[in-house]
Amino acid sequence: MYDKYPKGQSRGRHWKHLKQILQAENYQNYPPDEPNYVNIESPPSMHPCKRICDITGFEAPYYDPRTNLRYANAEVFKLVRSLPNEYVQRYLALRNAAVVLK
């Protein structure tokens, strides 16, 4: 076993820390408007935003046309239909999609 890994040789992949990456890439010389590891400013994503279920937080492929709430499956749909109107308004307000329902 000792012959396989003689002293001084690495035993696998060597991972770099963020500080090592920053020093190696010399990020302080980059223009400030270019996104990189140092700044968090970047242009908006070109992908459409994911639709999230208003009740569970999972991805929601469906929405209820009567309440405009998004839901993930049939069980949540039953819950959405049984909600009182004031709760529906609160869920829509959380999503900034508040609509006065009739």
Side-chain angles (χ1 to χ4, degrees):
M1 174 156 161
Y2 292 109
D3 296 333
K4 189 174 181 182
Y5 297 112
K7 192 172 185 177
Q9 288 186 356
S10 65
R11 293 186 178 186
R13 181 175 277 179
H14 176 72
W15 298 97
K16 290 184 177 181
H17 299 286
L18 180 61
K19 189 174 184 180
Q20 293 170 335
I21 293 172
L22 294 176
Q23 288 175 350
E25 295 293 327
N26 211 3
Y27 278 110
Q28 58 267 27
N29 294 337
Y30 279 66
D33 58 341
E34 184 176 324
N36 54 37
Y37 286 111
V38 178
N39 63 9
I40 59 170
E41 302 204 7
S42 62
S45 175
M46 299 303 288
H47 299 287
C49 61
K50 289 186 178 181
R51 294 188 173 117
I52 305 297
C53 176
D54 291 315
I55 309 297
T56 62
F58 295 127
E59 278 195 58
Y62 317 107
Y63 86 99
D64 180 21
R66 182 166 37 163
T67 61
N68 288 334
L69 288 178
R70 297 177 184 146
Y71 61 94
N73 54 32
E75 293 175 18
V76 179
F77 177 69
K78 291 177 187 175
L79 177 70
V80 165
R81 285 293 172 107
S82 68
L83 287 174
N85 194 18
E86 61 188 51
Y87 288 174
V88 171
Q89 291 297 322
R90 288 180 188 170
Y91 277 115
L92 290 173
L94 285 174
R95 198 176 70 200
N96 291 331
V99 178
V100 177
L101 298 175
K102 297 179 182 178

